[in-house]
Amino acid sequence: MIFPVALISAIFLISASLGLEESCYLSEEQEDECASVCYPIVKPLLRYFEKSNERDAQLLKCRADYTELQKEGLRYFENTNEKDAQLLRCKTDYSELQKRYSDLQSEDLKQYAQISKCQLDFSDLVRKNSEVQSQLSDEKVKYAQLHSKQQEVDNLINQKNKEIDLLKDQIRELKEKSELATLTNQFREDIAKLGKIVKIGGIHENNPTKSEVETGEIPTTPLPNIKIETTPKTETIDFPDPCPRDQKETRVLREIKLPGLDPFKVVCYSASDIGSGWFYVYRKWYNSNIFNVTYKDYESGFGHFGTDNDDEFFIGLNRLHHLTNGKPHEVLFYTYPKPRSCGNFVVGDRSEGYKVKNIGNCTGDDWTTPKQGSKFSTFDRDEDGVPGRNLAKEAGFGWWFDPEMSDMRCVF
């Protein structure tokens, strides 16, 4: 209440001054005196109005933020309803599994009687198993030899196919050159006829000689030989290899572009024991804690894509789907105690839960190797098929978990 009182005092002061002078005009001294009184009063009022305007702007911004939060809340409730529906389906599946479990228990009672007989046959099976193992080792040696020969044959077939494609291109170019030569000869004949007409009109003033009219032959200057060069065709590769086959460095950072995707970075890897042409998909250290992220993060990819030894990242499920569906890829799992490789690794799309659609010919197997048909799981999207548990949440990272991995012995 200080400003209004001061303002009223100033008004009374001015009014009193005006009453004494009985004039509508003030002298310069009176104007200066009035300014010295009013300015300290009006200036805080102006500042007050300025801050009021700032607060009004902040209030408008808060209202806009509140509206956006309301929208986010609606989206959250929609996602909650979808999760409730999934939970209801899981409960239904769980009750079906309980029924199947009771049926299996009744069957186990019947099978228990056969266990004693199976134990008697076990010793015989052990003996036969040792014989089979011996034969299997011999067959593995033969298979390795056949596989090596098969690879040589495949390489030879690929080389021959390339030669066939090259020959086809050469044949096509020769056909084009042949057609071009025919058109060139026809063009020369047309030019020669045109030259005859021009020469008749220019030399004989549109009056050809009798012999020329009778024979139809006009002496012409032969055209010079025209050398036609054709540009060799360049083969367009729609889906190139992400990493070079002749890489010398251990790790190289490259940017690639796939149809339908924005350019993204990959880390190419090369080693003496496995060769070149590899790129990292899932690079994680055993004590890492950055891989316990949402399903959406795994879908788009995350981490620091670099060539340092401690860099950790995941390329992204959507990119992995496009890569493995574009052409066959071999996958290598670098886990303890030794790496394992599998051929023709194919990952489905989002509608399929990014499941492993194909994986085979693995050189080894343990609990971390994905099984064909398993879907990708995270702590916020459980697809492991184990009732009452979330293996991704327990492990602290996303992976293609399945029921066989429920007895995890270590952290990947």
Side-chain angles (χ1 to χ4, degrees):
M1 299 299 294
I2 296 175
F3 292 152
V5 172
L7 181 60
I8 291 170
S9 302
I11 291 171
F12 280 124
L13 179 63
I14 295 171
S15 299
S17 300
L18 291 175
L20 292 175
E21 295 293 334
E22 293 182 353
S23 174
C24 295
Y25 298 97
L26 300 176
S27 63
E28 291 182 359
E29 181 179 357
Q30 290 174 336
E31 287 182 355
D32 292 339
E33 182 180 358
C34 181
S36 64
V37 173
C38 294
Y39 180 74
I41 298 173
V42 174
K43 184 176 180 181
L45 289 176
L46 293 176
R47 288 181 180 174
Y48 171 76
F49 289 133
E50 181 180 359
K51 290 190 176 291
S52 297
N53 291 333
E54 291 179 357
R55 290 174 183 172
D56 290 341
Q58 292 177 355
L59 180 59
L60 291 176
K61 183 176 182 303
C62 289
R63 287 178 179 174
D65 294 339
Y66 176 71
T67 303
E68 186 65 25
L69 287 174
Q70 283 183 324
K71 294 180 181 179
E72 291 291 336
L74 291 175
R75 288 194 289 268
Y76 172 77
F77 285 124
E78 291 175 357
N79 294 331
T80 303
N81 292 333
E82 182 181 355
K83 291 179 179 179
D84 290 340
Q86 293 178 354
L87 180 61
L88 181 59
R89 289 195 296 269
C90 289
K91 289 181 178 179
T92 304
D93 295 339
Y94 178 70
S95 52
E96 292 178 357
L97 288 173
Q98 281 184 326
K99 184 177 178 300
R100 290 178 59 187
Y101 177 72
S102 62
D103 294 338
L104 289 173
Q105 280 184 328
S106 61
E107 292 179 2
D108 287 341
L109 294 176
K110 298 177 183 178
Q111 294 177 356
Y112 183 75
Q114 300 177 358
I115 293 177
S116 58
K117 183 178 180 300
C118 292
Q119 288 177 342
L120 296 175
D121 297 336
F122 179 73
S123 58
D124 187 36
L125 289 175
V126 171
R127 179 180 56 81
K128 291 182 180 179
N129 182 58
S130 61
E131 295 176 357
V132 171
Q133 290 292 338
S134 177
Q135 294 176 0
L136 183 61
S137 61
D138 296 336
E139 294 296 331
K140 285 183 178 179
V141 174
K142 293 179 182 179
Y143 174 77
Q145 295 174 352
L146 290 174
H147 185 66
S148 177
K149 291 181 180 179
Q150 179 66 31
Q151 287 182 340
E152 294 177 359
V153 172
D154 291 340
N155 293 333
L156 183 60
I157 291 173
N158 292 332
Q159 183 180 358
K160 294 299 180 184
N161 288 334
K162 291 180 181 178
E163 293 177 358
I164 290 171
D165 293 338
L166 181 61
L167 290 173
K168 287 181 179 179
D169 292 339
Q170 292 177 353
I171 291 171
R172 184 167 57 253
E173 291 177 0
L174 289 174
K175 286 182 179 179
E176 292 174 356
K177 288 181 180 179
S178 177
E179 293 175 358
L180 189 60
T182 303
L183 292 174
T184 303
N185 293 332
Q186 184 177 356
F187 181 65
R188 286 177 179 175
E189 292 176 1
D190 294 339
I191 291 178
K193 291 179 181 178
L194 183 62
K196 291 177 183 180
I197 296 172
V198 172
K199 193 169 184 180
I200 291 172
I203 298 175
H204 301 288
E205 297 179 354
N206 297 326
N207 293 317
T209 62
K210 181 178 180 181
S211 61
E212 292 171 345
V213 174
E214 291 177 350
T215 60
E217 295 179 357
I218 305 293
T220 59
T221 304
L223 293 173
N225 292 330
I226 299 174
K227 185 177 180 182
I228 301 173
E229 297 181 356
T230 59
T231 303
K233 292 188 174 181
T234 303
E235 183 182 3
T236 301
I237 302 175
D238 295 330
F239 195 177
D241 289 336
C243 295
R245 299 284 180 170
D246 56 350
Q247 179 178 324
K248 304 300 182 184
E249 300 85 352
T250 302
R251 298 183 187 91
V252 175
L253 185 65
R254 297 189 69 192
E255 185 176 85
I256 64 174
K257 176 72 171 68
L258 298 180
L261 295 179
D262 294 332
F264 60 94
K265 294 180 180 180
V266 295
V267 179
C268 299
Y269 182 72
S270 176
S272 59
D273 56 340
I274 60 174
S276 302
W278 299 90
F279 62 91
Y280 283 106
V281 172
Y282 193 114
R283 191 156 194 258
K284 174 186 181 299
W285 292 104
Y286 75 97
N287 58 349
S288 174
N289 57 3
I290 71 167
F291 282 76
N292 193 22
V293 295
T294 63
Y295 191 86
K296 185 177 180 181
D297 292 330
Y298 272 99
E299 190 173 22
S300 58
F302 59 89
H304 183 266
F305 290 81
T307 58
D308 293 339
N309 192 46
D310 56 351
D311 287 332
E312 296 179 299
F313 52 83
F314 179 63
I315 197 173
L317 291 169
N318 187 35
R319 295 168 181 167
L320 185 60
H321 160 68
H322 282 80
L323 282 165
T324 57
N325 281 265
K327 61 169 60 177
H329 278 76
E330 183 180 0
V331 62
L332 185 67
F333 298 96
Y334 256 108
T335 55
Y336 182 82
K338 63 179 181 179
R340 298 170 313 286
S341 63
C342 300
N344 196 17
F345 182 62
V346 180
V347 175
D349 58 12
R350 178 182 176 83
S351 64
E352 298 170 307
Y354 298 106
K355 69 178 180 180
V356 179
K357 298 179 68 174
N358 190 73
I359 186 171
N361 298 326
C362 297
T363 57
D365 188 18
D366 69 1
W367 74 274
T368 58
T369 304
K371 305 298 186 298
Q372 187 166 326
S374 59
K375 296 182 179 181
F376 198 87
S377 294
T378 57
F379 75 88
D380 62 339
R381 184 162 179 169
D382 186 8
E383 299 285 356
D384 54 29
V386 181
R389 295 181 63 184
N390 186 331
L391 300 183
K393 187 175 182 180
E394 295 176 10
F397 57 87
W399 191 249
W400 291 274
F401 291 103
D402 61 78
E404 295 183 10
M405 298 181 183
S406 59
D407 184 18
M408 293 184 292
R409 298 178 298 276
C410 61
V411 176
F412 177 36

